[in-house]
Amino acid sequence: DAGVIQSPRHEVTEMGQEVTLRCKPISGHNSLFWYRQTMMRGLELLIYFNNNVPIDDSGMPEDRFSAKMPNASFSTLKIQPSEPRDSAVYFCASSLWTGDYTFGSGTRLTVV
Amino acid sequence: KQEVTQIPAALSVPEGENLVLNCSFTDSAIYNLQWFRQDPGKGLTSLLLIQSSQREQTSGRLNASLDKSSGRSTLYIAASQPGDSATYLCAVRDAGNMLTFGGGTRLMVKP
């Protein structure tokens, strides 16, 4: 298994632009999570899906952030418009219900 | 709301030492607890998963214990090596399948 696959690995964009981060979970996993990691705040859960349905999005910072999971093998996290304070590493993780979490390698986002 | 604390925040030890990393959590109603390792600029690698009904788990030189009633877990690393240098994160999972992370312990093992 290739693990959780995220793309792109790095993204540099100008303030105000739309950013789309992508995630392919491990086949067969029914839960998918988006996290953001910064030096100041550590790892924060943004949103999580179970069986493609959003269960908890209380961690999504504001309306500029949106996430979708159109099928069991793909999810996107979109930021529109992006701001410098959105600069962080964004991780996607997947798991079976209450099994081990497996994390992707992350997307390092820099908004200038 | 669950809060997870890891002490110490940073630790530097000479190679060969045995060491203990600590994790505490405020709500004992957890489903399981997981220890991760994160290398600089990399993702998180799962080390050990302890179910709430278990007391400990072992993998090679690593041993993790769980005392759910007191809200504590420890990660014991035996005979530390420079390759063990990384940040170690503790995370607790609730019945709703959400993980809450501690702030991590940054470990440096000097040759």
Side-chain angles (χ1 to χ4, degrees), chain B residues 28-45:
Chain B
S28 62
I30 66 170
Y31 195 88
N32 59 41
L33 182 146
Q34 197 163 354
W35 282 92
F36 294 88
R37 168 185 173 139
Q38 185 175 29
D39 293 286
K42 304 291 186 182
L44 281 71
T45 301

Side-chain angles (χ1 to χ4, degrees), chain A:
Chain A
D1 195 327
V4 176
I5 299 173
Q6 291 186 246
S7 64
R9 290 297 307 275
H10 302 275
E11 176 82 31
V12 180
T13 190
E14 291 186 347
M15 182 174 63
Q17 295 298 306
E18 177 179 293
V19 175
T20 299
L21 311 181
R22 297 173 176 80
C23 175
K24 177 178 168 54
I26 290 176
S27 177
H29 280 189
N30 55 4
S31 297
L32 182 140
F33 308 81
W34 283 100
Y35 283 86
R36 177 171 68 177
Q37 187 177 39
T38 61
M39 288 292 292
M40 290 294 294
R41 300 171 70 92
L43 271 164
E44 301 174 281
L45 177 66
L46 300 176
I47 185 170
Y48 101 86
F49 296 84
N50 195 50
N51 294 323
N52 312 339
V53 175
I55 302 300
D56 190 326
D57 65 355
S58 59
M60 296 285 262
E62 46 197 273
D63 291 346
R64 298 184 297 106
F65 285 68
S66 63
K68 294 182 179 179
M69 191 165 186
N71 57 60
S73 59
F74 184 66
S75 177
T76 59
L77 177 68
K78 186 176 293 186
I79 308 172
Q80 166 63 22
S82 57
E83 297 181 2
R85 62 192 168 120
D86 301 330
S87 297
V89 181
Y90 291 80
F91 287 104
C92 175
S94 71
S95 78
L96 288 170
W97 185 259
T98 69
D100 274 11
Y101 267 50
T102 302
F103 278 75
S105 298
T107 295
R108 182 174 296 277
L109 173 65
T110 303
V111 183
V112 298

